Every structure is written in structure tokens, then in C-alpha cells.
Amino acid sequence: MTLTLTPEQARRIAVRAQLLDARRPVSLVETVDQLTLLQIDPTKAIAPSADLVAWSRLGDAYDHSDLTFALEQERSLVEFSSFIFPMDEIETVLVLSPGRIHPTAVEWVEANKRFRTQVLDRLRADGPLVAGEIEDTAEVPWASTGWTNDKNVLRMIELLNRMGEVAIAGRRGKLRTWDLAERVYPSDLRLPSPEEALRVETVRRLASLGIARPGRKDSSGGEVLGAGDAGVPCTVAGVDGEWRVDPEALAALEDGFAPRTALLSPFDRLVYDRDRALDLFGFEYVLEMYKPAAKRRWGYFALPILYGERLVGKLDAKVDHKKALMNVFAVHEDFGWTAEIGDAVEAEIEALAGWLGVEIVHP
């Protein structure tokens, strides 16, 4: 017989797998290892997304300097493309990434063989460097309707990063510094076969989500969604279709569930798959920073609000870092909250402000 979970059980599995129950992790590296990745996004309406995700798990024990140390000194984490991964998993990333580059980008690199060689030679001689320190000698300019149009050096370096030849060595201010991959990654890499790498990635992704739809779906942000064929087939009562659940997460249901309240980044993996969030949590969410202000329902960078195993609303706030103020424009309730929910959410907003070192104001 097919295993059937109650919606509450499914939500608790998802929340616990994402380290959002009361049993907090003890370190940043442990956190990233369980989540499998942190997405990098430069928006600082509140704080950078990677910092928000880490704070949502670690609380006040986390400081941005912890991330810098792990990336640049300890090398226990590594920045790759638009994500941060555990360095221990870079072998899997290096095997799978080249096959996920769009064919037109591969063709552009091939059309610029001399330029590619010159970029690698420059890094070999003087790296690490920021992109602006490398001469643009492209034979064929990069054409795009977006912001990367004619940014040949940056585009070449980013593609060589995804091909495993160049690595992000650190940051100089906000700018990434680049070097040869062999100078950044461990010297004893043992690359798995593509089949094994895909299996490892799929199993780890399901473990980080707890429960997900079978199959594979590429998100617009470059991440793969879905559980593939990993885990145990199941259904969720009242929700159409099949799911896959991580066996360890299923076994952990017997340990009980310790709830807490959390404010999440819009890029948080609990809500990143919007279809999954709607199916499991009944939570409708769209990141509205790209919408005109008059068409926004919840705010420019509204933070999803977790209470126990339920997603209950959105926080519309923005931090003025120069004035050390957090403007709270609205707290949207997805349904009528009890006083207990309201008090818990207010306490978490105050905790966020305290961590950021800002004062809350209500314009």
C-alpha cells in the first residue's frame, strides 16, 4: 500500500528538514551542509539573502563574518556561480555543472578560444583578480538583451567557473576575485561519474527538503527542483499527486516536533518552490520586487513568516542601514491570527532588528 501522510506530518517533515524547528544547528557549515546550498542575491532590502537564511537557522549566533571566514580562510564553504556550497560537495558540483550550461553559451566560449586562453593565462600569472583587471580581447562579443550585453570578460570568467576551470577565490568589497580552480579547490579531488554525481545530488536535495514531488524541474534561478526517484513514494491527504519523502525524515516523525517562529528570505528553500509551498502549506507567494509598487500585494521584499509548521503571512519591511532603522510597513496575516501567533511574530521581528542592530519604526 502507498504511504499516506497527513498534511501536518508533511509540513513538519519539510520544516524540520530545513532546520526551521526549535532544534537549531550549531554552526554555519552544518547549516549549509544540510540545506545543500545558499543562494546569493545582492538585494539588501533587509540583509543579503544568504545572511537571512543563515540567521533564520542560527539566530544571533550568526554573523556575516562567519560566512567570509568559511569561504576565504577556512575554505569549508565555496562560492560557485550564484550559490554557496560545502567544499566537501564541490566534486559533485564540478561534474554536473558543465552539462547545465546553455548550448549557445558553450558555442560562444568555443568561438573565443584565444580570448579564453588569454583569460586563463592572465589568472595564472597574476590571480586572484577581479574581472575589471583582465583585458577584453574577445573575438566575438557576448550579445544579450540583459545587463550582461558586451560584458565579455565577466561572462567568460563566469562560464569558465561553471566549466570548472576558474574558481571564485574571495571578494574584494562586493566584487568577486577569480583564480585558477586548482588554486582554490582541494588538490585531492576525486570526481565521480556523472551518474553517481546525479544520484548524490538528488538524494541530498530530498534530504534537505524532507518531502518533494518526484521528477526534476529546472527553476529560473538555476537550481534543480524535485526529488527525482529518490526516497519513499507517498501521498499527502487532500493533496493531488505523488510525493517522495526522505526515509530519515520519515523516521524522525516519531521524535516529535518542536515548533518555533521564523522570518524567511524570499529565496529560502522552504518557499523557493512556489508550487510546493502552495500544495503543502496553502501558501501563496510571489517576490514582488520586480513589480510596480501599485501592483504589489505584500511588498517589495516581503519575508514569509513561519509559525510552527504553518506559513502564516508576510512581513513587509525595509532597512535603512545608514540610519540604522527598520521600517515595518505591514505585517500581512494570511488568516486571522490568534494573539499567540501575533506575539510570537512580533518577538521575531524584534529579534531580527536586534540582530541587525537597527531600531524598528512604523512609518
Side-chain angles (χ1 to χ4, degrees), residues 300-355:
Y300 175 82
F301 199 74
L303 306 187
I305 301 171
L306 176 71
Y307 178 79
E309 83 280 346
R310 303 173 69 189
L311 290 162
V312 300
K314 294 95 176 169
L315 168 65
D316 180 12
K318 187 174 183 180
V319 171
D320 186 327
H321 295 276
K322 290 183 178 179
K323 296 181 179 179
L325 298 175
M326 183 164 74
N327 297 290
V328 176
F329 302 110
V331 179
H332 300 281
E333 302 178 12
D334 281 7
F335 53 86
W337 289 357
T338 63
E340 182 180 13
I341 297 176
D343 290 345
V345 172
E346 182 178 353
E348 194 66 9
I349 295 172
E350 291 174 354
L352 174 59
W355 173 65

Coordinates of all heavy atoms in Angstrom, one line a residue, residues 300-355:
Y300 N 7.8 45.0 -1.5 CA 9.0 44.9 -2.3 C 9.8 43.6 -2.1 O 10.2 42.9 -3.0 CB 9.9 46.1 -2.1 CG 11.2 46.1 -2.9 CD1 11.2 46.5 -4.2 CD2 12.4 45.7 -2.2 CE1 12.4 46.5 -4.9 CE2 13.6 45.7 -2.9 CZ 13.6 46.1 -4.2 OH 14.8 46.1 -4.9
F301 N 10.1 43.3 -0.8 CA 10.9 42.2 -0.4 C 10.3 41.5 0.8 O 10.9 41.3 1.8 CB 12.3 42.6 -0.1 CG 13.4 41.6 -0.2 CD1 13.8 41.1 -1.4 CD2 14.0 41.1 1.0 CE1 14.8 40.1 -1.5 CE2 15.0 40.1 0.9 CZ 15.4 39.6 -0.3
A302 N 9.0 41.2 0.7 CA 8.2 40.6 1.8 C 8.8 39.3 2.3 O 9.1 38.4 1.5 CB 6.8 40.5 1.4
L303 N 9.0 39.2 3.6 CA 9.6 38.0 4.2 C 8.5 37.0 4.6 O 7.6 37.4 5.4 CB 10.4 38.3 5.4 CG 11.5 39.3 5.3 CD1 12.4 39.4 6.6 CD2 12.4 39.0 4.1
P304 N 8.4 35.8 4.1 CA 7.5 34.8 4.5 C 7.6 34.5 6.0 O 8.8 34.5 6.5 CB 7.8 33.5 3.7 CG 8.5 34.1 2.5 CD 9.3 35.3 2.9
I305 N 6.5 34.3 6.7 CA 6.5 34.1 8.1 C 6.1 32.7 8.5 O 5.0 32.2 8.0 CB 5.6 35.1 8.8 CG1 5.9 36.5 8.5 CG2 5.6 34.8 10.4 CD1 4.9 37.5 9.0
L306 N 7.0 32.0 9.2 CA 6.7 30.6 9.6 C 6.3 30.6 11.1 O 7.0 31.2 11.9 CB 8.0 29.7 9.4 CG 7.9 28.3 9.9 CD1 6.9 27.5 9.0 CD2 9.2 27.7 9.9
Y307 N 5.2 29.9 11.4 CA 4.8 29.7 12.8 C 4.5 28.2 13.0 O 3.6 27.7 12.4 CB 3.6 30.5 13.1 CG 3.0 30.3 14.5 CD1 3.6 31.0 15.6 CD2 2.0 29.5 14.8 CE1 3.2 30.8 16.9 CE2 1.5 29.3 16.1 CZ 2.1 30.0 17.1 OH 1.7 29.8 18.4
G308 N 5.4 27.6 13.7 CA 5.3 26.1 13.9 C 5.5 25.4 12.5 O 6.6 25.6 11.9
E309 N 4.5 24.7 12.1 CA 4.6 24.0 10.8 C 3.8 24.7 9.7 O 3.6 24.2 8.6 CB 4.3 22.5 10.8 CG 2.8 22.2 10.8 CD 2.1 22.4 12.1 OE1 2.7 22.5 13.1 OE2 0.8 22.4 12.0
R310 N 3.4 26.0 10.0 CA 2.5 26.7 9.0 C 3.2 28.0 8.6 O 3.8 28.7 9.4 CB 1.1 27.0 9.7 CG 0.4 25.8 10.2 CD -0.8 26.2 11.0 NE -1.9 26.8 10.2 CZ -3.0 27.4 10.6 NH1 -3.2 27.4 12.0 NH2 -3.9 27.9 9.8
L311 N 3.0 28.3 7.3 CA 3.4 29.6 6.8 C 2.1 30.5 6.9 O 1.1 30.2 6.3 CB 3.8 29.5 5.3 CG 5.2 28.7 5.2 CD1 5.4 28.3 3.7 CD2 6.3 29.7 5.6
V312 N 2.3 31.5 7.7 CA 1.1 32.3 8.2 C 0.9 33.7 7.6 O -0.1 34.3 7.8 CB 1.0 32.3 9.7 CG1 1.0 30.9 10.3 CG2 2.2 33.1 10.3
G313 N 2.0 34.2 7.0 CA 1.9 35.6 6.5 C 3.2 36.1 5.9 O 4.1 35.3 5.6
K314 N 3.2 37.4 5.7 CA 4.4 38.1 5.1 C 4.7 39.4 5.9 O 3.8 40.1 6.3 CB 4.2 38.4 3.7 CG 4.0 37.2 2.7 CD 2.5 36.9 2.5 CE 2.3 35.7 1.5 NZ 0.9 35.2 1.5
L315 N 6.0 39.6 6.0 CA 6.5 40.9 6.7 C 7.0 41.8 5.6 O 7.9 41.5 4.9 CB 7.6 40.6 7.7 CG 8.4 41.8 8.2 CD1 7.4 42.7 9.0 CD2 9.6 41.4 9.0
D316 N 6.3 43.0 5.5 CA 6.8 44.0 4.5 C 7.6 45.0 5.3 O 7.1 45.8 6.1 CB 5.6 44.7 3.9 CG 6.0 45.8 2.9 OD1 7.2 45.8 2.5 OD2 5.1 46.5 2.5
A317 N 8.9 44.9 5.1 CA 9.8 45.8 5.8 C 11.0 46.2 5.0 O 11.3 45.5 4.0 CB 10.3 45.2 7.1
K318 N 11.7 47.2 5.3 CA 12.9 47.6 4.6 C 13.9 48.3 5.6 O 13.4 49.1 6.5 CB 12.6 48.6 3.5 CG 13.8 48.9 2.6 CD 13.4 49.7 1.4 CE 14.6 49.9 0.5 NZ 14.3 50.8 -0.7
V319 N 15.1 48.0 5.6 CA 16.1 48.5 6.5 C 16.9 49.7 5.8 O 17.3 49.6 4.7 CB 17.1 47.4 6.9 CG1 18.2 48.0 7.7 CG2 16.4 46.4 7.8
D320 N 16.9 50.8 6.6 CA 17.8 51.9 6.2 C 19.1 51.7 7.0 O 19.1 52.1 8.2 CB 17.1 53.2 6.5 CG 17.9 54.4 6.0 OD1 19.1 54.4 6.0 OD2 17.3 55.5 5.7
H321 N 20.1 51.2 6.3 CA 21.3 50.8 7.0 C 22.1 52.0 7.5 O 22.8 52.0 8.5 CB 22.2 49.9 6.2 CG 21.5 48.6 5.9 ND1 21.6 47.5 6.7 CD2 20.8 48.2 4.8 CE1 21.0 46.5 6.2 NE2 20.5 46.8 5.0
K322 N 22.0 53.1 6.8 CA 22.7 54.3 7.2 C 22.1 54.9 8.4 O 22.8 55.4 9.3 CB 22.7 55.3 6.0 CG 23.5 55.0 4.8 CD 23.5 56.0 3.8 CE 24.4 55.7 2.6 NZ 24.4 56.7 1.5
K323 N 20.8 54.9 8.5 CA 20.1 55.5 9.7 C 19.9 54.4 10.8 O 19.3 54.8 11.9 CB 18.8 56.1 9.3 CG 18.9 57.3 8.3 CD 17.6 57.9 8.0 CE 17.7 59.1 7.1 NZ 16.4 59.7 6.7
A324 N 20.2 53.2 10.5 CA 20.0 52.1 11.5 C 18.6 52.0 11.9 O 18.2 51.9 13.1 CB 20.9 52.3 12.7
L325 N 17.7 52.0 10.9 CA 16.2 51.9 11.1 C 15.7 50.8 10.3 O 16.1 50.6 9.1 CB 15.5 53.2 10.8 CG 15.9 54.5 11.5 CD1 15.2 55.7 11.0 CD2 15.6 54.3 13.0
M326 N 14.7 50.0 10.8 CA 13.9 49.1 10.1 C 12.5 49.6 10.0 O 11.8 49.6 11.0 CB 14.0 47.7 10.7 CG 13.2 46.6 9.8 SD 13.6 44.9 10.3 CE 12.7 44.8 11.8
N327 N 12.1 50.0 8.8 CA 10.8 50.4 8.6 C 9.8 49.2 8.3 O 10.0 48.5 7.4 CB 10.7 51.3 7.3 CG 11.6 52.6 7.5 OD1 11.2 53.5 8.3 ND2 12.7 52.7 6.8
V328 N 8.9 49.1 9.2 CA 7.9 48.0 9.1 C 6.7 48.6 8.5 O 5.9 49.3 9.2 CB 7.7 47.3 10.5 CG1 6.6 46.3 10.3 CG2 8.9 46.7 11.0
F329 N 6.4 48.3 7.3 CA 5.3 48.9 6.6 C 4.0 48.1 6.8 O 2.9 48.7 6.9 CB 5.6 49.0 5.1 CG 6.8 49.7 4.7 CD1 7.9 49.1 4.2 CD2 6.8 51.1 4.9 CE1 9.1 49.8 3.9 CE2 8.0 51.8 4.5 CZ 9.1 51.2 4.1
A330 N 4.1 46.8 6.9 CA 2.9 46.0 7.2 C 3.3 44.6 7.6 O 4.4 44.1 7.2 CB 2.0 45.9 5.9
V331 N 2.4 44.0 8.3 CA 2.6 42.6 8.7 C 1.3 41.9 8.1 O 0.2 42.1 8.7 CB 2.7 42.3 10.2 CG1 2.8 40.8 10.4 CG2 4.0 43.0 10.7
H332 N 1.4 41.2 7.0 CA 0.2 40.6 6.4 C -0.2 39.3 7.0 O 0.7 38.3 7.0 CB 0.5 40.5 4.9 CG 0.8 41.7 4.2 ND1 -0.2 42.7 3.8 CD2 2.0 42.3 3.8 CE1 0.4 43.7 3.2 NE2 1.7 43.5 3.2
E333 N -1.4 39.1 7.5 CA -1.9 37.9 8.0 C -2.6 37.1 6.9 O -3.5 37.6 6.3 CB -2.8 38.1 9.2 CG -2.1 38.9 10.3 CD -3.1 39.2 11.5 OE1 -4.2 38.6 11.5 OE2 -2.8 40.1 12.3
D334 N -2.2 35.9 6.7 CA -2.9 35.1 5.6 C -4.3 34.6 6.1 O -5.1 34.2 5.3 CB -2.0 33.9 5.3 CG -0.9 34.3 4.3 OD1 -0.7 35.5 4.1 OD2 -0.2 33.4 3.8
F335 N -4.5 34.7 7.4 CA -5.8 34.4 8.0 C -5.8 35.1 9.4 O -4.8 35.7 9.8 CB -5.9 32.8 8.2 CG -4.8 32.2 9.0 CD1 -4.8 32.2 10.4 CD2 -3.7 31.6 8.3 CE1 -3.8 31.6 11.1 CE2 -2.7 31.1 9.0 CZ -2.7 31.0 10.4
G336 N -6.9 35.1 10.0 CA -7.0 35.8 11.3 C -6.1 35.1 12.4 O -6.4 34.0 12.8
W337 N -5.1 35.8 12.8 CA -4.1 35.3 13.8 C -4.7 35.3 15.2 O -5.5 36.2 15.5 CB -2.8 36.1 13.8 CG -2.0 35.9 12.6 CD1 -2.2 35.1 11.5 CD2 -0.8 36.6 12.3 NE1 -1.2 35.2 10.6 CE2 -0.3 36.1 11.0 CE3 0.0 37.5 13.0 CZ2 0.9 36.6 10.5 CZ3 1.2 38.0 12.4 CH2 1.6 37.6 11.2
T338 N -4.3 34.3 16.0 CA -4.6 34.4 17.4 C -3.6 35.3 18.0 O -2.5 35.7 17.4 CB -4.4 33.0 18.0 OG1 -3.0 32.6 17.9 CG2 -5.3 31.9 17.4
A339 N -3.8 35.7 19.3 CA -2.9 36.6 20.0 C -1.6 35.9 20.1 O -0.5 36.6 20.1 CB -3.5 37.0 21.3
E340 N -1.6 34.6 20.3 CA -0.3 33.9 20.5 C 0.6 34.0 19.2 O 1.8 34.2 19.3 CB -0.6 32.4 20.8 CG 0.6 31.6 21.0 CD 0.3 30.1 21.3 OE1 -0.8 29.7 21.1 OE2 1.2 29.4 21.7
I341 N 0.0 33.8 18.0 CA 0.7 34.0 16.8 C 1.3 35.4 16.7 O 2.4 35.6 16.4 CB -0.1 33.6 15.6 CG1 -0.5 32.2 15.6 CG2 0.7 33.9 14.3 CD1 -1.5 31.7 14.5
G342 N 0.4 36.4 16.9 CA 0.8 37.8 16.8 C 2.0 38.1 17.7 O 2.9 38.8 17.3
D343 N 1.9 37.6 19.0 CA 3.0 37.9 19.9 C 4.3 37.2 19.5 O 5.4 37.8 19.6 CB 2.6 37.4 21.3 CG 1.5 38.2 21.9 OD1 1.2 39.3 21.4 OD2 0.9 37.8 22.9
A344 N 4.2 36.0 18.9 CA 5.4 35.3 18.5 C 6.1 36.0 17.3 O 7.3 36.1 17.2 CB 5.1 33.8 18.2
V345 N 5.2 36.4 16.4 CA 5.8 37.1 15.2 C 6.4 38.4 15.6 O 7.5 38.8 15.1 CB 4.6 37.3 14.2 CG1 5.1 38.2 13.0 CG2 4.1 36.0 13.6
E346 N 5.7 39.2 16.5 CA 6.3 40.5 16.9 C 7.7 40.3 17.6 O 8.6 41.0 17.4 CB 5.3 41.1 17.9 CG 5.8 42.5 18.4 CD 4.8 43.2 19.3 OE1 3.7 42.7 19.5 OE2 5.2 44.2 19.9
A347 N 7.8 39.2 18.4 CA 9.0 38.9 19.1 C 10.1 38.6 18.0 O 11.3 38.9 18.2 CB 8.8 37.7 20.0
E348 N 9.8 37.9 17.0 CA 10.7 37.5 16.0 C 11.2 38.7 15.2 O 12.3 38.9 14.8 CB 10.2 36.4 15.0 CG 11.2 35.8 14.2 CD 12.2 34.9 14.9 OE1 12.1 34.7 16.2 OE2 13.2 34.5 14.3
I349 N 10.3 39.7 14.9 CA 10.6 40.9 14.2 C 11.6 41.7 15.1 O 12.6 42.3 14.6 CB 9.4 41.8 13.9 CG1 8.5 41.0 12.9 CG2 9.8 43.1 13.4 CD1 7.1 41.7 12.7
E350 N 11.3 41.7 16.4 CA 12.3 42.4 17.3 C 13.6 41.7 17.3 O 14.7 42.4 17.4 CB 11.6 42.5 18.7 CG 10.4 43.4 18.8 CD 9.7 43.3 20.2 OE1 10.1 42.4 21.0 OE2 8.8 44.1 20.4
A351 N 13.6 40.4 17.2 CA 14.9 39.7 17.2 C 15.7 40.0 16.0 O 16.9 40.1 16.0 CB 14.6 38.2 17.3
L352 N 15.0 40.1 14.8 CA 15.6 40.4 13.6 C 16.3 41.8 13.7 O 17.4 42.0 13.3 CB 14.6 40.4 12.4 CG 15.1 40.9 11.0 CD1 16.3 40.0 10.6 CD2 14.0 40.8 10.0
A353 N 15.5 42.8 14.2 CA 16.0 44.1 14.3 C 17.2 44.2 15.3 O 18.2 44.9 15.0 CB 14.9 45.1 14.9
G354 N 17.2 43.4 16.4 CA 18.3 43.3 17.3 C 19.5 42.7 16.6 O 20.7 43.2 16.9
W355 N 19.4 41.7 15.8 CA 20.5 41.1 15.2 C 21.1 42.1 14.2 O 22.3 42.2 14.0 CB 20.0 39.8 14.4 CG 21.1 39.2 13.5 CD1 22.3 38.7 13.9 CD2 21.0 39.1 12.1 NE1 22.9 38.2 12.8 CE2 22.2 38.4 11.7 CE3 20.1 39.4 11.2 CZ2 22.5 38.2 10.4 CZ3 20.3 39.2 9.8 CH2 21.5 38.5 9.4

